[in-house]
Amino acid sequence: MAIIEIKGLSKVYRVYEKQEGLLASLKGLFRRQYREVHAVREIDLEVEAGEFVAFLGPNGAGKTTTLKLLSGVIHPTAGTATVMGHVPWKRDNRYRRKFALVMGQKNQLWWDLPAQESFRLHQQIYRIDEQQYDRTIDELTSLLDVRKLLKQPVRELSLGERMKMELTAALLHNPEVLFLDEPTIGLDVVAQHNIQQFLKHYQQERKITILLTSHYMKDVEALCRRLVIVANGRIHYDGSLGGIIEQASTERLVTVQLADGESIEGMEQYGQVEQINPPQVTLRLTRDDVPGTLSRILDQRRIVDVVVAEPPLEEVLKNVFTAVAKADEAEAEAEAEAEADRSDQSTSTSRTAARSSRDSGGRQIP
Amino acid sequence: MSVYVQAKLSTWWTILRIALEERLVYRGDFALGTLMRFLPIITQIFLWSAIFAAVNVGSGGDQKIAGFYTIHTMIAYYLLTMVSRAFSSMPGLASGVALQVRNGEIKKFLIQPVDMVGFLLMGRIAHKLAYYSVALLPFALVFYLCGGYFSHHYAAPGVGAPSAQRISVFISSLLLGFMLGYFLELCIGLISFWFLEVTSLIFVYNLLTFFLSGHMFPLDLLPDSARAIVDWMPLRYLAYFPAAVLLGRVGEDQLWTELLLEAGWVLFFIVLSRWMFSRGVKRYSGYGG
């Protein structure tokens, strides 16, 4: 049986929406307009014990909301989920003693006290017996190389050191399931690498189940075999890292280096010109077209060198996200039209304004 | 003792210990803040000396205000409300809870197997213990210097030194005052689950408390109609009641009834805060998060 089972999970937030200006603020005192935000839309997912799964997606994709649902902080609007047989939002203490959530942007340690004081508190809260506590602290602090910092107030630690302490606190009670929300955010390359190495090692040793969200491709490449791409509340891909490249590699970037004196004019007849950097020209071709087009070029032009490459992973993901944003835009438009048919003119204008503002936000995908 | 109770106690003890340590990190600020609280009593002494000087003109001295308060009783009253406030005031509790709801720190209590109401209570006890440890000496000094007001008050005809029963009710009312102050202000803070911004509400609460707890003046100075309302409110237990008990303003036969009533209020706010917390969390996890 899967350790995490999610079926049709949805979360809708209602957010207060204010038009620009003072008059609108006054109106807002009496009658507020709310807009529904579908943070998670009917997600289905199964995770087996011992898996290390990455959630990847743009800002506002629903990654963090999913983790909040799974750690029981929020109730879903619809759907079910179980983690180790528990329904998270019932917040059963038996469940709460078996998982941990680490948020890269939140500090859970006592700010003015050394980290070891926070650890002591965790020992009590999670009822960890003395021997196990000593052993775990010993192991974690040496793995993370922070033993010397145990007696230093948390506020004096660097961001990277603090993150290591956060991880130690979260792992003290030996959780079977660990949720990591952007654990490497804001860290320098070295600190990022250290945390990645630690997580990799720890996960392989203990065979715990980890769900990780991140913006950094490096995290995902280093740690996870399984990748779940989330955008606009839906799962758009669930599979291996190689799989997504395979799926998106219907295109190839073909770079040809023309011989001296050969004109670069007219290269667009072979395919979409991606980049011209004389004497090199890069063409974007579908995979099936590559052999035919190449032989035509070789027939008609004098060539020095040819390189055929897959598009970079970042680009693949960017395309996925953009496609999702476009599809959602179309869907929202259809929704708004249906809405306009039902309600009066003024409401529908505000709806449209609301939608376009959200969409422009959605398009700003790095 | 069962293992369960033992584990609970050990958890509470750890929370208390750590909160106490945290409290003692900023020693300078803490000590200064503690000492500054003694300043208002000096203004009160000057103010009431001037008032009584005016009242006593031509009457040969020792006129009583509200049929009970001579200048000595009045100053003794203010000194005693300082003691009751040292137990019942909860600086920053409501606004702290509101802030935690606002910035999402409250999540910690949903994720970890720890009870927020108890956790914050331990934190408060730690605050108070740290405060007493620093304030005990200045308190002793002030009471020593102002001892004359008390001896005058108790020497007056028909008053007499407080009985052992009176003193034990006084001490119990201080402890209950702490509980009442904590749970009442916690409830105010928990309102932030429904209205994110509660600054003005806390301001109003503080203002009401200042007037209606007896912190600003003895409640006996209120007109009868207002007094009747105040007697039905829990606020008077925060400052007025302990002082009134020790000064002999509350009849010997009423002492235990009053104390029982106060305990009833404490129980009411314990239940209310529990209810608000569970409703609030439900709402929080339903809408926000």
Side-chain angles (χ1 to χ4, degrees), chain A residues 124-282:
Chain A
Q124 290 298 331
I125 290 175
Y126 288 100
R127 314 250 165 92
I128 306 162
D129 77 64
E130 194 67 28
Q131 280 183 354
Q132 196 206 329
Y133 173 81
D134 288 341
R135 210 175 335 114
T136 317
I137 287 275
D138 211 50
E139 186 195 342
L140 291 172
T141 52
S142 70
L143 273 174
L144 285 163
D145 193 24
V146 287
R147 194 171 307 181
K148 280 182 300 218
L149 303 172
L150 276 174
K151 293 185 164 74
Q152 203 166 325
V154 170
R155 80 182 120 82
E156 288 172 9
L157 300 178
S158 74
L159 189 61
E161 289 163 350
R162 218 167 71 212
M163 198 58 226
K164 290 175 175 179
M165 293 301 187
E166 291 276 351
L167 276 173
T168 308
L171 294 173
L172 269 184
H173 62 285
N174 251 325
E176 288 169 49
V177 173
L178 178 64
F179 303 123
L180 298 168
D181 193 21
E182 301 182 17
T184 57
I185 198 159
L187 299 187
D188 64 51
V189 189
V190 178
Q192 244 180 60
H193 180 76
N194 285 343
I195 300 249
Q196 284 165 5
Q197 288 308 305
F198 167 76
L199 287 172
K200 195 172 184 174
H201 173 83
Y202 189 86
Q203 200 269 343
Q204 280 169 359
E205 275 300 87
R206 301 293 179 96
K207 302 273 180 282
I208 65 169
T209 313
I210 302 184
L211 243 64
L212 166 125
T213 76
S214 184
H215 289 304
Y216 298 127
M217 283 310 306
K218 287 272 183 291
D219 280 352
V220 180
E221 281 172 343
L223 297 171
C224 310
R225 291 224 189 86
R226 183 171 168 196
L227 179 67
V228 175
I229 295 181
V230 192
N232 204 18
R234 290 198 185 90
I235 291 179
H236 291 273
Y237 176 80
D238 181 357
S240 68
L241 197 62
I244 186 76
I245 299 169
E246 186 59 34
Q247 204 179 72
S249 60
T250 52
E251 287 188 336
R252 287 288 184 270
L253 294 176
V254 178
T255 306
V256 292
Q257 187 169 349
L258 300 168
D260 280 348
E262 189 65 51
S263 163
I264 58 167
E265 305 259 315
M267 285 302 285
E268 62 273 6
Q269 63 173 300
Y270 303 113
Q272 187 196 339
V273 178
E274 187 75 11
Q275 199 186 12
I276 297 177
N277 190 14
Q280 288 185 346
V281 177
T282 304

Side-chain angles (χ1 to χ4, degrees), chain B residues 178-195:
Chain B
F178 167 78
M179 296 294 275
L180 186 65
Y182 171 75
F183 283 102
L184 206 144
E185 192 147 324
L186 180 65
C187 288
I188 304 275
L190 288 175
I191 293 175
S192 56
F193 273 122
W194 288 268
F195 306 97

Side-chain angles (χ1 to χ4, degrees), chain B residues 129-206:
Chain B
L129 288 179
Y131 173 69
Y132 302 144
S133 69
V134 173
L136 193 67
L137 231 83
F139 255 110
L141 185 70
V142 168
F143 272 78
Y144 172 74
L145 291 177
C146 299
Y149 294 110
F150 285 93
S151 46
H152 263 96
H153 167 74
Y154 288 119
V159 182
S163 62
Q165 168 176 255
R166 205 168 267 285
I167 290 171
S168 49
V169 169
F170 169 70
I171 292 169
S172 314
S173 73
L174 289 179
L175 296 177
L176 279 175
F178 167 78
M179 296 294 275
L180 186 65
Y182 171 75
F183 283 102
L184 206 144
E185 192 147 324
L186 180 65
C187 288
I188 304 275
L190 288 175
I191 293 175
S192 56
F193 273 122
W194 288 268
F195 306 97
L196 271 186
E197 182 56 71
V198 291
T199 312
S200 347
L201 199 77
I202 293 172
F203 179 76
V204 170
Y205 168 77
N206 285 338

Side-chain angles (χ1 to χ4, degrees), chain A residues 16-35:
Chain A
Y16 163 48
E17 188 162 79
K18 190 184 92 64
Q19 304 300 308
E20 197 180 327
L22 184 60
L23 194 65
S25 297
L26 289 174
K27 275 184 191 160
L29 287 176
F30 302 102
R31 195 160 154 258
R32 300 211 158 174
Q33 286 188 346
Y34 291 94
R35 178 166 63 86

Side-chain angles (χ1 to χ4, degrees), chain A residues 11 13 68 73-75 91 93 96-97 101 106 108 110 112-113 117 121-122 124-127 155, chain B residues 7 10-11 14-15 17-18 21-22 25-26 107 109-113 119 281 285-289:
Chain A
K11 178 68 186 176
Y13 289 114
K68 280 184 188 168
V73 175
I74 52 176
H75 272 266
R91 291 192 282 275
N93 272 350
R96 299 202 285 185
R97 286 185 214 288
L101 168 70
K106 290 263 157 66
Q108 302 193 51
W110 289 61
D112 286 318
L113 295 178
E117 300 288 3
L121 189 61
H122 271 241
Q124 290 298 331
I125 290 175
Y126 288 100
R127 314 250 165 92
R155 80 182 120 82
Chain B
S10 146
T11 305
T14 307
I15 296 171
R17 180 177 64 77
I18 291 174
E21 281 175 39
E22 194 213 19
V25 170
Y26 297 105
K107 282 189 203 76
F109 297 106
L110 306 185
I111 293 166
Q112 297 177 2
F119 186 91
V281 163
S285 65
Y287 292 97

